[in-house]
Amino acid sequence: MRQYFTFFILGLLITFSSCRTDFDTVASSGDLKFSKDTVYLDTVFKNIGSSTYQLKVYNKSKDDISIPTIQLKKGLNSKYRMTVDGMNGNNGKIFNDVTLLAKDSLYIFIETTADITDANPTDFLYTDEIQFDGGSNLQEVALVTLIQDAVFLYPKQNPDGTKEKIEIDGKSVDGFYLDENDAVNGNELIFNNQKPYVIYGFAGVPESKTVIFEAGARVHFHANSGLFVDNNASLQINGDVSTTEKLENEVVFEGDRLEPEYSDVPGQWSSIIFSKESTNHSINHLTLKNATIGLSIQNQDETAFQIKNTQIYNCAEYGILAQNAHLNGENIVINYSGLASLSCVYGGNYSFTHCTFYNNWQSSSHFAVNLSNSLAGATPETNPLIQATFNNCIIYGSSTNEFNLSKNTAAAFVYQLNNCLLKFSSSSSNPDYQFKTDTEHYNQIILNENPKFYNVNLNKFNIDNTSPAFAKGNQAYIIPLDIIGATRTSSPDLGAYQSDVFPK
């Protein structure tokens, strides 16, 4: 009998519970709360999708509510799109009868893809509102995005549906050659400061042509993209001194994601690659960020490749990778590279003066400077290191040893450091690292003294008069102006910056 009674009670419970719905709600009364009253979607290029941004909506009441509509004010014509608690609604624009339980919240995720013609012509802002309910209960959250116009350069599509290709070091990659008579862009071999450029795939500089980057040019590379300078072709970067942190006269190479969270992410794009038969290059006032390899150089000209007043940051592998190249560097700063900030391998001919080679990569296997006269798998495997000279430089970083020599006795290996501050903390009996007694290779070396940079995490490599690098340079090697155009004194500081100029 007791068993029947138990089944009877359970049946009643099931019956009554089945009559209740978990979605019995009251209408929204316009008292929703929001995590923000305006959602700013960071700057995007025209017709390039943004990152996804979120808005949290709260029901602080004791009632389960139903929101009759959540929609974009511009409706189906809006360039924004949303998901509401995982639902797509009507094309991501309009949502009806959205339930929000008592003391609960929901997430709205927002994206946009808009053209410059969609934006306000005076400030280039594209705006809309998310509307909750209507009438006297209407609540709105503003959406704001800055749309930036740009010149887009990319491989054309072939009739068979494949993309245009170019050859780089024997490999076929998605790419195209810059055209000095392009029907849309005009002369693609001149990059000016009128609009930023966005490159997809590899942009090639044709044989015997010169690509010129004028002061203030901005070039953004998509993932796996880069620039290739072919045989007998040349690159000229003609940046100039800037007076503000906007680097208004600098030439800037970086990725095409403009959101702040991408500002310092390594490996967003590939590299600037110079063929070994390319020629007559010069770089002045370039800032390069977030590549895999910043500059990959194989030029073997009798006339050195000139690199001056250049900053290279956040490269997944190398800031500069030079293979049997001929380089002359002045006022260069490199920081944060997965393998080496500067790596000169397979021999070559190098001179660096008033440069700051730092590496703050968080591993113990990186270097600020690496020198080698061999390359595994190459034919021949060794090449002479004709010279590698460092004058008035700083070679430092977060690892124990930031200077590495990889010498093969089958070829020449000539190097010299003069008036340099160097980090090499390991005691070594290796004759190549006798910094105090080997005067053939080392002169006036300051060893393992922190240069006291302003802020290495922000790439601020200025020093003051408390730094051990202060006034320790040799006037015989002086470059009269530092990387930002400040005049050096008769007793110059080591590195790329003169100490009496401080970052803002």
Side-chain angles (χ1 to χ4, degrees), residues 120-424:
N120 185 316
T122 59
D123 56 18
F124 303 107
L125 293 177
Y126 181 71
T127 61
D128 201 346
E129 288 82 39
I130 305 176
Q131 296 184 322
F132 299 82
D133 208 339
S136 61
N137 292 333
L138 176 66
Q139 293 179 271
E140 294 181 319
V141 173
L143 304 176
V144 180
T145 309
L146 177 64
I147 309 298
Q148 189 164 357
D149 200 2
V151 176
F152 291 87
L153 304 173
Y154 49 87
K156 295 180 175 63
Q157 188 163 322
N158 296 317
D160 63 359
T162 61
K163 286 184 179 179
E164 189 178 359
K165 305 278 188 182
I166 63 172
E167 295 288 326
I168 301 178
D169 293 333
K171 297 179 180 178
S172 180
V173 300
D174 289 344
F176 59 98
Y177 280 101
L178 297 168
D179 185 353
E180 59 189 331
N181 295 298
D182 184 78
V184 176
N185 301 319
N187 189 351
E188 295 178 336
L189 291 172
I190 298 179
F191 287 68
N192 58 42
N193 63 3
Q194 301 305 302
K195 294 180 182 180
Y197 295 79
V198 182
I199 293 178
Y200 289 77
F202 270 87
V205 184
E207 289 193 33
S208 304
K209 298 294 183 179
T210 298
V211 62
I212 297 172
F213 296 86
E214 297 177 348
R218 299 290 188 265
V219 185
H220 300 264
F221 296 92
H222 193 62
N224 302 314
S225 297
L227 183 70
F228 173 62
V229 187
D230 211 335
N231 295 339
N232 297 312
S234 304
L235 174 140
Q236 307 288 322
I237 292 180
N238 301 325
D240 206 344
V241 174
S242 299
T243 58
T244 73
E245 287 191 340
K246 293 182 178 179
L247 301 176
E248 66 277 4
N249 295 320
E250 196 91 353
V251 174
V252 179
F253 290 171
E254 59 184 325
D256 66 344
R257 300 307 301 263
L258 305 183
E259 302 91 331
E261 59 266 32
Y262 287 91
S263 63
D264 296 314
V265 177
Q268 294 181 47
W269 56 285
S270 183
S271 180
I272 309 301
I273 300 175
F274 299 84
S275 124
K276 65 181 179 181
E277 299 296 334
S278 62
T279 184
N280 192 31
H281 310 301
S282 68
I283 293 177
N284 194 17
H285 286 287
L286 168 69
T287 294
L288 187 155
K289 299 171 52 182
N290 307 334
T292 299
I293 299 174
L295 303 176
S296 180
I297 304 169
Q298 300 181 58
N299 78 299
Q300 298 166 16
D301 267 3
E302 292 183 5
T303 303
F305 186 159
Q306 303 289 328
I307 305 177
K308 300 179 180 180
N309 307 308
T310 289
Q311 306 171 71
I312 301 176
Y313 302 127
N314 306 317
C315 292
E317 295 180 7
Y318 302 97
I320 296 178
L321 174 62
Q323 298 183 35
N324 192 28
H326 189 187
L327 301 182
N328 180 14
E330 300 174 1
N331 291 335
I332 297 173
V333 178
I334 308 179
N335 182 32
Y336 205 70
S337 306
L339 297 176
S341 290
L342 171 69
S343 188
C344 301
V345 300
Y346 203 43
N349 189 338
Y350 309 98
S351 175
F352 297 99
T353 304
H354 277 293
C355 295
T356 300
F357 299 114
Y358 195 91
N359 203 343
N360 201 36
W361 195 272
Q362 298 305 305
S363 79
S364 59
S365 59
H366 70 254
F367 300 105
V369 171
N370 174 61
L371 301 178
S372 167
N373 62 349
S374 62
L375 184 64
T379 305
E381 194 169 88
T382 62
N383 261 319
L385 181 62
I386 297 170
Q387 72 162 357
T389 304
F390 298 82
N391 302 315
N392 293 352
C393 291
I394 298 175
I395 301 172
Y396 211 81
S398 58
S399 190
T400 303
N401 302 322
E402 292 290 352
F403 181 65
N404 184 64
L405 302 174
S406 183
K407 181 191 297 185
N408 189 314
T409 57
F413 197 95
V414 180
Y415 64 99
Q416 189 173 65
L417 281 68
N418 301 306
N419 299 82
C420 292
L421 189 154
L422 176 69
K423 186 175 183 182
F424 193 98

